[in-house]
Amino acid sequence: MLLKQYQVTTTSLHITVNRSFSHTPTYTVRPNELTPGIPSEEYERRRKELMDSLPSNSVVVLIAAPVKYMSGNIFYKYRQGSDFWYLTGFEEPDSAVVLEKNASSRGYRMTLFSNGKDSAKEKWDGFDDALNVFKADDALTIKAFPGQLRSMISLYSNVYIDLPQSPRKNARSTKSLLRYLSPSVNPRSEYESVVESLSSSRRKPLAPLIAQLRAFKSVCEQQVMRMAADISGRSHAKTMRFTRPGISESALAAHFEYLCSLSGSQRLAYVPVVASGPNALIIHYTSNNQVVQDGEMILMDAGCEYNGYASDITRTYPANGSFTPPQKELYSAVLSAQKTLVGLCTEAEGLSLHDLHRKSCDLLRQELKQIGFTLHTGDLERILYPHFLSHPIGIDLHESSYSDRGELLKAGMVITVEPGIYVPPTAQFPKHFHNIGIRIEDEVLVGEKHPVVLSVSAPKEIADVEGACQGLLGLEPI
């Protein structure tokens, strides 16, 4: 899978959009919600759980994601930093939040820094909203952030803060933190002096602690993720119906994105893979610039982001609506293994992602032998199935770089299950399977005893896939 692409804009959003993405046709924010599907109380719970886990005399500092530019002053659509959004629900760039652990019943004090009210654009109601809507104890202009931060962190022995990686290997990363804010907010030297004031013994990494919280999805998060998967799943099904020999891969990618947008998605979760024929043997094929030929299959790995949460689904289907016998045989082998693996995604099974991957290798090896493959050492893992089975998913497509593949699966986690087989045209493999690439990927909510497939709306049984392609499921391409 490709990493999520962050797209951003410079304009501040209206507070109602921050809370509800009100331009989308499919969701009306409820009175108790801060962001669509997530109530204010949940953001409060997240912050409290984080602060309760820290030792006394601790402070947390988080910086909003920067505005990103394609070239010059041409900006991308804005997307807030995932950890910042997870703890605040605040969508504005040039913002920061400081959480100071204390002995109050709340357990911490929250100060939110932002540009406040934009007098020229009147985009939102400024600092009053920061206090009333986002439950900050104090709200200050971002221009005051360096000075306020210097005063705050001097009071604490444990400063939890993440330093962005410098793009240059030899650059001093300790000076790069506050460059995530626009240079126009304050002179860069002020930022650098604040960061330099932190000794290495006082500075603690924050991201791994937030990753532990994000690993387990609340009921509200599960519901939003199911909606994201439903949008993507239906878009997969309708794109199957839209497909025909002679169409371009790029047209299929555009059709999928259009359907997701029409259903309320804010963006795609990643650059889609639309790989026809032998292109499917390229795991991260994203050129999507070839014409689909009759008799080929299409491997489409595509998912939308909806109200802050990613979806990730892969389906492989025949361009003309009907599997050939070899295609059907190999697809059935991958599908059998995939369904068995999905059934193992429970806390009761006591498995880790590493365990699941090893089982996927065993299952695929058995399935391939049954359809005529003679496998030697390394054939499966190095050639036919060269990628890992699974990854956590949530706000980010790959939910955390801090996840441990050896950790046992627990109820409330959401992972992908995506075995695949990619047969190159070499003599060691049966000729009638040459140049066929198949991957079947679902999002799975781990349960205590039973898994829940969130991406159930995307057809994957052979009869359902052919039915979707041929219009037998009652689905139209639009």
Side-chain angles (χ1 to χ4, degrees), residues 281 283 354-366 368-369 373-389 419-424 428-429:
L281 274 62
I283 305 301
H354 273 308
D355 295 331
L356 276 179
H357 181 73
R358 283 190 287 268
K359 286 185 177 294
S360 73
C361 293
D362 294 339
L363 289 167
L364 288 172
R365 190 176 289 107
Q366 295 170 15
L368 292 179
K369 286 181 178 179
F373 280 77
T374 301
L375 299 178
H376 301 95
T377 302
D379 282 353
L380 182 70
E381 294 87 346
R382 296 175 187 172
I383 303 174
L384 298 172
Y385 178 41
H387 61 77
F388 199 72
L389 172 73
I421 292 294
Y422 316 88
V423 187
Q428 68 207 89
F429 305 122

mmCIF file of all heavy atoms in Angstrom, residues 281 283 354-366 368-369 373-389 419-424 428-429:
data_model
loop_
_atom_site.group_PDB
_atom_site.id
_atom_site.type_symbol
_atom_site.label_atom_id
_atom_site.label_comp_id
_atom_site.label_asym_id
_atom_site.label_seq_id
_atom_site.Cartn_x
_atom_site.Cartn_y
_atom_site.Cartn_z
ATOM 1 N N LEU A 281 0.937 -7.086 -11.494
ATOM 2 C CA LEU A 281 2.115 -7.690 -10.879
ATOM 3 C C LEU A 281 3.002 -6.635 -10.211
ATOM 4 O O LEU A 281 3.908 -6.973 -9.457
ATOM 5 C CB LEU A 281 2.933 -8.454 -11.929
ATOM 6 C CG LEU A 281 2.517 -9.906 -12.209
ATOM 7 C CD1 LEU A 281 1.101 -9.993 -12.758
ATOM 8 C CD2 LEU A 281 3.481 -10.561 -13.191
ATOM 9 N N ILE A 283 3.194 -4.125 -7.441
ATOM 10 C CA ILE A 283 2.411 -3.964 -6.212
ATOM 11 C C ILE A 283 1.921 -2.533 -6.038
ATOM 12 O O ILE A 283 0.769 -2.298 -5.676
ATOM 13 C CB ILE A 283 3.246 -4.395 -4.981
ATOM 14 C CG1 ILE A 283 3.771 -5.835 -5.155
ATOM 15 C CG2 ILE A 283 2.392 -4.294 -3.710
ATOM 16 C CD1 ILE A 283 2.698 -6.871 -5.351
ATOM 17 N N HIS A 354 2.143 -10.769 12.876
ATOM 18 C CA HIS A 354 3.167 -11.691 12.385
ATOM 19 C C HIS A 354 2.611 -13.111 12.278
ATOM 20 O O HIS A 354 2.863 -13.816 11.287
ATOM 21 C CB HIS A 354 4.384 -11.678 13.315
ATOM 22 C CG HIS A 354 5.394 -10.628 12.991
ATOM 23 N ND1 HIS A 354 5.920 -10.464 11.726
ATOM 24 C CD2 HIS A 354 5.980 -9.678 13.768
ATOM 25 C CE1 HIS A 354 6.785 -9.472 11.729
ATOM 26 N NE2 HIS A 354 6.835 -8.971 12.954
ATOM 27 N N ASP A 355 1.845 -13.527 13.281
ATOM 28 C CA ASP A 355 1.243 -14.861 13.247
ATOM 29 C C ASP A 355 0.298 -14.999 12.053
ATOM 30 O O ASP A 355 0.307 -16.014 11.346
ATOM 31 C CB ASP A 355 0.462 -15.129 14.534
ATOM 32 C CG ASP A 355 1.344 -15.182 15.767
ATOM 33 O OD1 ASP A 355 2.531 -15.552 15.635
ATOM 34 O OD2 ASP A 355 0.854 -14.848 16.864
ATOM 35 N N LEU A 356 -0.525 -13.972 11.839
ATOM 36 C CA LEU A 356 -1.465 -14.005 10.713
ATOM 37 C C LEU A 356 -0.723 -14.080 9.385
ATOM 38 O O LEU A 356 -1.144 -14.810 8.471
ATOM 39 C CB LEU A 356 -2.356 -12.766 10.729
ATOM 40 C CG LEU A 356 -3.598 -12.793 11.622
ATOM 41 C CD1 LEU A 356 -4.336 -11.465 11.510
ATOM 42 C CD2 LEU A 356 -4.529 -13.948 11.250
ATOM 43 N N HIS A 357 0.370 -13.351 9.272
ATOM 44 C CA HIS A 357 1.113 -13.378 8.014
ATOM 45 C C HIS A 357 1.694 -14.775 7.762
ATOM 46 O O HIS A 357 1.634 -15.276 6.627
ATOM 47 C CB HIS A 357 2.232 -12.344 8.021
ATOM 48 C CG HIS A 357 3.009 -12.320 6.733
ATOM 49 N ND1 HIS A 357 2.510 -11.798 5.570
ATOM 50 C CD2 HIS A 357 4.254 -12.797 6.437
ATOM 51 C CE1 HIS A 357 3.396 -11.937 4.606
ATOM 52 N NE2 HIS A 357 4.468 -12.539 5.110
ATOM 53 N N ARG A 358 2.247 -15.377 8.802
ATOM 54 C CA ARG A 358 2.790 -16.735 8.627
ATOM 55 C C ARG A 358 1.688 -17.704 8.210
ATOM 56 O O ARG A 358 1.905 -18.570 7.353
ATOM 57 C CB ARG A 358 3.464 -17.193 9.920
ATOM 58 C CG ARG A 358 4.836 -16.570 10.153
ATOM 59 C CD ARG A 358 5.568 -17.246 11.309
ATOM 60 N NE ARG A 358 4.977 -16.877 12.588
ATOM 61 C CZ ARG A 358 5.383 -15.860 13.336
ATOM 62 N NH1 ARG A 358 6.371 -15.090 12.906
ATOM 63 N NH2 ARG A 358 4.818 -15.605 14.498
ATOM 64 N N LYS A 359 0.515 -17.544 8.792
ATOM 65 C CA LYS A 359 -0.608 -18.413 8.410
ATOM 66 C C LYS A 359 -1.031 -18.151 6.966
ATOM 67 O O LYS A 359 -1.422 -19.073 6.245
ATOM 68 C CB LYS A 359 -1.784 -18.210 9.369
ATOM 69 C CG LYS A 359 -1.568 -18.827 10.747
ATOM 70 C CD LYS A 359 -2.806 -18.710 11.617
ATOM 71 C CE LYS A 359 -2.593 -19.408 12.970
ATOM 72 N NZ LYS A 359 -2.429 -20.871 12.826
ATOM 73 N N SER A 360 -0.952 -16.875 6.551
ATOM 74 C CA SER A 360 -1.321 -16.569 5.166
ATOM 75 C C SER A 360 -0.377 -17.268 4.191
ATOM 76 O O SER A 360 -0.806 -17.763 3.137
ATOM 77 C CB SER A 360 -1.309 -15.054 4.933
ATOM 78 O OG SER A 360 0.007 -14.520 4.891
ATOM 79 N N CYS A 361 0.896 -17.330 4.527
ATOM 80 C CA CYS A 361 1.858 -18.038 3.669
ATOM 81 C C CYS A 361 1.533 -19.524 3.598
ATOM 82 O O CYS A 361 1.558 -20.136 2.518
ATOM 83 C CB CYS A 361 3.278 -17.824 4.186
ATOM 84 S SG CYS A 361 3.880 -16.122 4.052
ATOM 85 N N ASP A 362 1.218 -20.110 4.749
ATOM 86 C CA ASP A 362 0.872 -21.533 4.782
ATOM 87 C C ASP A 362 -0.385 -21.814 3.959
ATOM 88 O O ASP A 362 -0.437 -22.778 3.179
ATOM 89 C CB ASP A 362 0.655 -22.003 6.222
ATOM 90 C CG ASP A 362 1.933 -21.961 7.057
ATOM 91 O OD1 ASP A 362 3.030 -21.968 6.454
ATOM 92 O OD2 ASP A 362 1.824 -21.936 8.294
ATOM 93 N N LEU A 363 -1.399 -20.972 4.124
ATOM 94 C CA LEU A 363 -2.659 -21.181 3.413
ATOM 95 C C LEU A 363 -2.494 -20.998 1.913
ATOM 96 O O LEU A 363 -3.016 -21.800 1.119
ATOM 97 C CB LEU A 363 -3.723 -20.210 3.946
ATOM 98 C CG LEU A 363 -4.257 -20.486 5.347
ATOM 99 C CD1 LEU A 363 -5.039 -19.293 5.872
ATOM 100 C CD2 LEU A 363 -5.144 -21.737 5.342
ATOM 101 N N LEU A 364 -1.781 -19.966 1.498
ATOM 102 C CA LEU A 364 -1.586 -19.742 0.070
ATOM 103 C C LEU A 364 -0.750 -20.853 -0.552
ATOM 104 O O LEU A 364 -1.016 -21.289 -1.686
ATOM 105 C CB LEU A 364 -0.921 -18.383 -0.158
ATOM 106 C CG LEU A 364 -1.810 -17.153 0.096
ATOM 107 C CD1 LEU A 364 -0.994 -15.881 0.019
ATOM 108 C CD2 LEU A 364 -2.957 -17.103 -0.915
ATOM 109 N N ARG A 365 0.232 -21.331 0.190
ATOM 110 C CA ARG A 365 1.049 -22.436 -0.317
ATOM 111 C C ARG A 365 0.186 -23.671 -0.564
ATOM 112 O O ARG A 365 0.293 -24.334 -1.608
ATOM 113 C CB ARG A 365 2.177 -22.732 0.672
ATOM 114 C CG ARG A 365 3.224 -23.708 0.126
ATOM 115 C CD ARG A 365 4.372 -23.883 1.103
ATOM 116 N NE ARG A 365 5.219 -22.688 1.182
ATOM 117 C CZ ARG A 365 5.238 -21.853 2.198
ATOM 118 N NH1 ARG A 365 4.477 -22.070 3.256
ATOM 119 N NH2 ARG A 365 6.034 -20.799 2.176
ATOM 120 N N GLN A 366 -0.690 -23.976 0.381
ATOM 121 C CA GLN A 366 -1.594 -25.123 0.223
ATOM 122 C C GLN A 366 -2.535 -24.945 -0.970
ATOM 123 O O GLN A 366 -2.747 -25.869 -1.771
ATOM 124 C CB GLN A 366 -2.412 -25.314 1.497
ATOM 125 C CG GLN A 366 -1.603 -25.708 2.727
ATOM 126 C CD GLN A 366 -2.427 -25.645 4.003
ATOM 127 O OE1 GLN A 366 -3.656 -25.571 3.970
ATOM 128 N NE2 GLN A 366 -1.741 -25.653 5.147
ATOM 129 N N LEU A 368 -2.162 -23.044 -3.647
ATOM 130 C CA LEU A 368 -1.464 -23.060 -4.928
ATOM 131 C C LEU A 368 -1.061 -24.472 -5.333
ATOM 132 O O LEU A 368 -1.119 -24.829 -6.523
ATOM 133 C CB LEU A 368 -0.235 -22.149 -4.858
ATOM 134 C CG LEU A 368 -0.514 -20.647 -4.729
ATOM 135 C CD1 LEU A 368 0.786 -19.875 -4.634
ATOM 136 C CD2 LEU A 368 -1.344 -20.141 -5.903
ATOM 137 N N LYS A 369 -0.676 -25.284 -4.375
ATOM 138 C CA LYS A 369 -0.321 -26.668 -4.697
ATOM 139 C C LYS A 369 -1.519 -27.425 -5.246
ATOM 140 O O LYS A 369 -1.386 -28.275 -6.141
ATOM 141 C CB LYS A 369 0.230 -27.364 -3.455
ATOM 142 C CG LYS A 369 1.638 -26.916 -3.075
ATOM 143 C CD LYS A 369 2.151 -27.664 -1.850
ATOM 144 C CE LYS A 369 3.586 -27.237 -1.511
ATOM 145 N NZ LYS A 369 4.106 -27.922 -0.304
ATOM 146 N N PHE A 373 0.636 -25.650 -8.817
ATOM 147 C CA PHE A 373 1.933 -25.000 -8.625
ATOM 148 C C PHE A 373 2.895 -25.950 -7.926
ATOM 149 O O PHE A 373 2.517 -26.635 -6.965
ATOM 150 C CB PHE A 373 1.775 -23.744 -7.766
ATOM 151 C CG PHE A 373 1.266 -22.540 -8.502
ATOM 152 C CD1 PHE A 373 -0.090 -22.430 -8.813
ATOM 153 C CD2 PHE A 373 2.125 -21.521 -8.882
ATOM 154 C CE1 PHE A 373 -0.567 -21.316 -9.467
ATOM 155 C CE2 PHE A 373 1.651 -20.407 -9.550
ATOM 156 C CZ PHE A 373 0.291 -20.298 -9.849
ATOM 157 N N THR A 374 4.128 -26.009 -8.403
ATOM 158 C CA THR A 374 5.207 -26.701 -7.713
ATOM 159 C C THR A 374 6.143 -25.647 -7.150
ATOM 160 O O THR A 374 6.857 -24.962 -7.888
ATOM 161 C CB THR A 374 5.977 -27.620 -8.672
ATOM 162 O OG1 THR A 374 5.073 -28.580 -9.239
ATOM 163 C CG2 THR A 374 7.088 -28.356 -7.930
ATOM 164 N N LEU A 375 6.091 -25.482 -5.850
ATOM 165 C CA LEU A 375 6.798 -24.370 -5.217
ATOM 166 C C LEU A 375 8.101 -24.815 -4.596
ATOM 167 O O LEU A 375 8.157 -25.830 -3.898
ATOM 168 C CB LEU A 375 5.910 -23.736 -4.141
ATOM 169 C CG LEU A 375 4.587 -23.138 -4.635
ATOM 170 C CD1 LEU A 375 3.783 -22.600 -3.471
ATOM 171 C CD2 LEU A 375 4.824 -22.053 -5.674
ATOM 172 N N HIS A 376 9.151 -24.048 -4.867
ATOM 173 C CA HIS A 376 10.446 -24.284 -4.257
ATOM 174 C C HIS A 376 10.705 -23.194 -3.209
ATOM 175 O O HIS A 376 9.956 -22.219 -3.098
ATOM 176 C CB HIS A 376 11.540 -24.282 -5.321
ATOM 177 C CG HIS A 376 11.336 -25.324 -6.378
ATOM 178 N ND1 HIS A 376 10.701 -25.055 -7.579
ATOM 179 C CD2 HIS A 376 11.665 -26.640 -6.406
ATOM 180 C CE1 HIS A 376 10.660 -26.159 -8.307
ATOM 181 N NE2 HIS A 376 11.239 -27.142 -7.618
ATOM 182 N N THR A 377 11.767 -23.374 -2.437
ATOM 183 C CA THR A 377 12.086 -22.419 -1.371
ATOM 184 C C THR A 377 12.204 -21.006 -1.925
ATOM 185 O O THR A 377 12.939 -20.757 -2.882
ATOM 186 C CB THR A 377 13.414 -22.817 -0.686
ATOM 187 O OG1 THR A 377 13.301 -24.135 -0.163
ATOM 188 C CG2 THR A 377 13.733 -21.827 0.439
ATOM 189 N N GLY A 378 11.441 -20.111 -1.340
ATOM 190 C CA GLY A 378 11.495 -18.713 -1.737
ATOM 191 C C GLY A 378 10.523 -18.317 -2.835
ATOM 192 O O GLY A 378 10.313 -17.117 -3.067
ATOM 193 N N ASP A 379 9.935 -19.303 -3.523
ATOM 194 C CA ASP A 379 9.021 -18.954 -4.621
ATOM 195 C C ASP A 379 7.828 -18.142 -4.148
ATOM 196 O O ASP A 379 7.417 -17.177 -4.804
ATOM 197 C CB ASP A 379 8.515 -20.230 -5.311
ATOM 198 C CG ASP A 379 9.539 -20.837 -6.252
ATOM 199 O OD1 ASP A 379 10.588 -20.197 -6.476
ATOM 200 O OD2 ASP A 379 9.299 -21.958 -6.754
ATOM 201 N N LEU A 380 7.262 -18.541 -3.017
ATOM 202 C CA LEU A 380 6.069 -17.843 -2.541
ATOM 203 C C LEU A 380 6.415 -16.469 -1.981
ATOM 204 O O LEU A 380 5.937 -15.438 -2.468
ATOM 205 C CB LEU A 380 5.353 -18.680 -1.480
ATOM 206 C CG LEU A 380 4.057 -18.056 -0.951
ATOM 207 C CD1 LEU A 380 2.984 -18.071 -2.027
ATOM 208 C CD2 LEU A 380 3.572 -18.769 0.300
ATOM 209 N N GLU A 381 7.267 -16.441 -0.952
ATOM 210 C CA GLU A 381 7.527 -15.193 -0.231
ATOM 211 C C GLU A 381 8.307 -14.178 -1.058
ATOM 212 O O GLU A 381 8.131 -12.963 -0.877
ATOM 213 C CB GLU A 381 8.283 -15.476 1.072
ATOM 214 C CG GLU A 381 7.482 -16.269 2.101
ATOM 215 C CD GLU A 381 7.602 -17.776 1.905
ATOM 216 O OE1 GLU A 381 8.074 -18.196 0.827
ATOM 217 O OE2 GLU A 381 7.243 -18.513 2.841
ATOM 218 N N ARG A 382 9.154 -14.615 -1.962
ATOM 219 C CA ARG A 382 9.987 -13.689 -2.712
ATOM 220 C C ARG A 382 9.390 -13.273 -4.050
ATOM 221 O O ARG A 382 9.684 -12.191 -4.561
ATOM 222 C CB ARG A 382 11.371 -14.305 -2.954
ATOM 223 C CG ARG A 382 12.162 -14.570 -1.688
ATOM 224 C CD ARG A 382 13.463 -15.285 -2.001
ATOM 225 N NE ARG A 382 14.158 -15.699 -0.786
ATOM 226 C CZ ARG A 382 15.232 -16.477 -0.773
ATOM 227 N NH1 ARG A 382 15.752 -16.912 -1.924
ATOM 228 N NH2 ARG A 382 15.794 -16.824 0.388
ATOM 229 N N ILE A 383 8.548 -14.133 -4.628
ATOM 230 C CA ILE A 383 8.053 -13.864 -5.984
ATOM 231 C C ILE A 383 6.533 -13.716 -6.017
ATOM 232 O O ILE A 383 6.002 -12.686 -6.437
ATOM 233 C CB ILE A 383 8.492 -14.988 -6.951
ATOM 234 C CG1 ILE A 383 10.022 -15.127 -6.955
ATOM 235 C CG2 ILE A 383 7.974 -14.703 -8.361
ATOM 236 C CD1 ILE A 383 10.531 -16.297 -7.760
ATOM 237 N N LEU A 384 5.831 -14.737 -5.587
ATOM 238 C CA LEU A 384 4.379 -14.766 -5.764
ATOM 239 C C LEU A 384 3.617 -13.922 -4.746
ATOM 240 O O LEU A 384 2.519 -13.432 -5.032
ATOM 241 C CB LEU A 384 3.875 -16.219 -5.698
ATOM 242 C CG LEU A 384 4.397 -17.166 -6.772
ATOM 243 C CD1 LEU A 384 3.978 -18.600 -6.475
ATOM 244 C CD2 LEU A 384 3.885 -16.728 -8.148
ATOM 245 N N TYR A 385 4.171 -13.757 -3.564
ATOM 246 C CA TYR A 385 3.476 -13.055 -2.472
ATOM 247 C C TYR A 385 4.499 -12.242 -1.694
ATOM 248 O O TYR A 385 4.836 -12.554 -0.557
ATOM 249 C CB TYR A 385 2.781 -14.097 -1.588
ATOM 250 C CG TYR A 385 2.054 -13.581 -0.373
ATOM 251 C CD1 TYR A 385 1.283 -12.424 -0.398
ATOM 252 C CD2 TYR A 385 2.122 -14.294 0.830
ATOM 253 C CE1 TYR A 385 0.609 -11.988 0.726
ATOM 254 C CE2 TYR A 385 1.444 -13.863 1.966
ATOM 255 C CZ TYR A 385 0.697 -12.707 1.906
ATOM 256 O OH TYR A 385 0.026 -12.276 3.035
ATOM 257 N N PRO A 386 4.998 -11.152 -2.282
ATOM 258 C CA PRO A 386 6.152 -10.447 -1.704
ATOM 259 C C PRO A 386 5.816 -9.345 -0.702
ATOM 260 O O PRO A 386 6.704 -8.568 -0.336
ATOM 261 C CB PRO A 386 6.811 -9.836 -2.949
ATOM 262 C CG PRO A 386 5.657 -9.523 -3.848
ATOM 263 C CD PRO A 386 4.651 -10.623 -3.619
ATOM 264 N N HIS A 387 4.581 -9.243 -0.251
ATOM 265 C CA HIS A 387 4.232 -8.175 0.687
ATOM 266 C C HIS A 387 3.618 -8.748 1.958
ATOM 267 O O HIS A 387 3.222 -9.907 2.029
ATOM 268 C CB HIS A 387 3.264 -7.174 0.041
ATOM 269 C CG HIS A 387 1.955 -7.761 -0.402
ATOM 270 N ND1 HIS A 387 0.928 -8.078 0.459
ATOM 271 C CD2 HIS A 387 1.506 -8.079 -1.651
ATOM 272 C CE1 HIS A 387 -0.099 -8.546 -0.216
ATOM 273 N NE2 HIS A 387 0.228 -8.577 -1.502
ATOM 274 N N PHE A 388 3.540 -7.898 2.978
ATOM 275 C CA PHE A 388 2.975 -8.301 4.270
ATOM 276 C C PHE A 388 1.452 -8.340 4.172
ATOM 277 O O PHE A 388 0.844 -7.638 3.370
ATOM 278 C CB PHE A 388 3.420 -7.321 5.356
ATOM 279 C CG PHE A 388 3.294 -7.865 6.754
ATOM 280 C CD1 PHE A 388 4.165 -8.844 7.212
ATOM 281 C CD2 PHE A 388 2.307 -7.409 7.617
ATOM 282 C CE1 PHE A 388 4.065 -9.338 8.506
ATOM 283 C CE2 PHE A 388 2.192 -7.876 8.909
ATOM 284 C CZ PHE A 388 3.077 -8.861 9.365
ATOM 285 N N LEU A 389 0.845 -9.156 5.019
ATOM 286 C CA LEU A 389 -0.597 -9.395 4.944
ATOM 287 C C LEU A 389 -1.426 -8.214 5.406
ATOM 288 O O LEU A 389 -2.514 -7.961 4.857
ATOM 289 C CB LEU A 389 -0.951 -10.613 5.814
ATOM 290 C CG LEU A 389 -2.449 -10.890 5.990
ATOM 291 C CD1 LEU A 389 -3.052 -11.443 4.702
ATOM 292 C CD2 LEU A 389 -2.684 -11.858 7.159
ATOM 293 N N PRO A 419 -4.211 -10.786 1.402
ATOM 294 C CA PRO A 419 -3.322 -11.712 0.699
ATOM 295 C C PRO A 419 -3.397 -11.479 -0.805
ATOM 296 O O PRO A 419 -4.407 -10.988 -1.326
ATOM 297 C CB PRO A 419 -3.888 -13.085 1.080
ATOM 298 C CG PRO A 419 -5.351 -12.822 1.289
ATOM 299 C CD PRO A 419 -5.421 -11.454 1.911
ATOM 300 N N GLY A 420 -2.342 -11.820 -1.496
ATOM 301 C CA GLY A 420 -2.328 -11.676 -2.948
ATOM 302 C C GLY A 420 -1.380 -12.664 -3.597
ATOM 303 O O GLY A 420 -0.460 -13.182 -2.954
ATOM 304 N N ILE A 421 -1.614 -12.940 -4.861
ATOM 305 C CA ILE A 421 -0.721 -13.784 -5.663
ATOM 306 C C ILE A 421 -0.484 -13.075 -6.989
ATOM 307 O O ILE A 421 -1.426 -12.622 -7.647
ATOM 308 C CB ILE A 421 -1.328 -15.180 -5.909
ATOM 309 C CG1 ILE A 421 -1.392 -15.967 -4.603
ATOM 310 C CG2 ILE A 421 -0.517 -15.954 -6.960
ATOM 311 C CD1 ILE A 421 -0.032 -16.312 -4.004
ATOM 312 N N TYR A 422 0.804 -12.999 -7.391
ATOM 313 C CA TYR A 422 1.196 -12.264 -8.588
ATOM 314 C C TYR A 422 2.137 -13.173 -9.388
ATOM 315 O O TYR A 422 3.273 -13.393 -8.981
ATOM 316 C CB TYR A 422 1.889 -10.960 -8.196
ATOM 317 C CG TYR A 422 1.161 -10.238 -7.076
ATOM 318 C CD1 TYR A 422 1.450 -10.529 -5.731
ATOM 319 C CD2 TYR A 422 0.156 -9.315 -7.342
ATOM 320 C CE1 TYR A 422 0.772 -9.900 -4.697
ATOM 321 C CE2 TYR A 422 -0.526 -8.683 -6.314
ATOM 322 C CZ TYR A 422 -0.217 -8.990 -4.984
ATOM 323 O OH TYR A 422 -0.897 -8.380 -3.956
ATOM 324 N N VAL A 423 1.648 -13.683 -10.506
ATOM 325 C CA VAL A 423 2.364 -14.737 -11.241
ATOM 326 C C VAL A 423 3.102 -14.141 -12.440
ATOM 327 O O VAL A 423 2.479 -13.728 -13.427
ATOM 328 C CB VAL A 423 1.398 -15.828 -11.718
ATOM 329 C CG1 VAL A 423 2.195 -16.994 -12.334
ATOM 330 C CG2 VAL A 423 0.519 -16.325 -10.576
ATOM 331 N N PRO A 424 4.434 -14.095 -12.379
ATOM 332 C CA PRO A 424 5.202 -13.583 -13.521
ATOM 333 C C PRO A 424 5.249 -14.627 -14.638
ATOM 334 O O PRO A 424 5.022 -15.833 -14.404
ATOM 335 C CB PRO A 424 6.588 -13.356 -12.919
ATOM 336 C CG PRO A 424 6.690 -14.367 -11.828
ATOM 337 C CD PRO A 424 5.307 -14.497 -11.252
ATOM 338 N N GLN A 428 8.812 -21.523 -14.305
ATOM 339 C CA GLN A 428 8.640 -22.290 -13.075
ATOM 340 C C GLN A 428 7.192 -22.333 -12.589
ATOM 341 O O GLN A 428 6.857 -23.112 -11.698
ATOM 342 C CB GLN A 428 9.525 -21.709 -11.969
ATOM 343 C CG GLN A 428 9.111 -20.306 -11.492
ATOM 344 C CD GLN A 428 10.260 -19.511 -10.950
ATOM 345 O OE1 GLN A 428 10.936 -18.803 -11.704
ATOM 346 N NE2 GLN A 428 10.517 -19.621 -9.661
ATOM 347 N N PHE A 429 6.320 -21.488 -13.197
ATOM 348 C CA PHE A 429 4.927 -21.455 -12.792
ATOM 349 C C PHE A 429 4.023 -21.841 -13.964
ATOM 350 O O PHE A 429 4.380 -21.608 -15.126
ATOM 351 C CB PHE A 429 4.555 -20.053 -12.289
ATOM 352 C CG PHE A 429 5.447 -19.555 -11.191
ATOM 353 C CD1 PHE A 429 6.161 -18.380 -11.333
ATOM 354 C CD2 PHE A 429 5.591 -20.278 -10.003
ATOM 355 C CE1 PHE A 429 6.996 -17.912 -10.329
ATOM 356 C CE2 PHE A 429 6.430 -19.818 -8.992
ATOM 357 C CZ PHE A 429 7.137 -18.646 -9.149
#
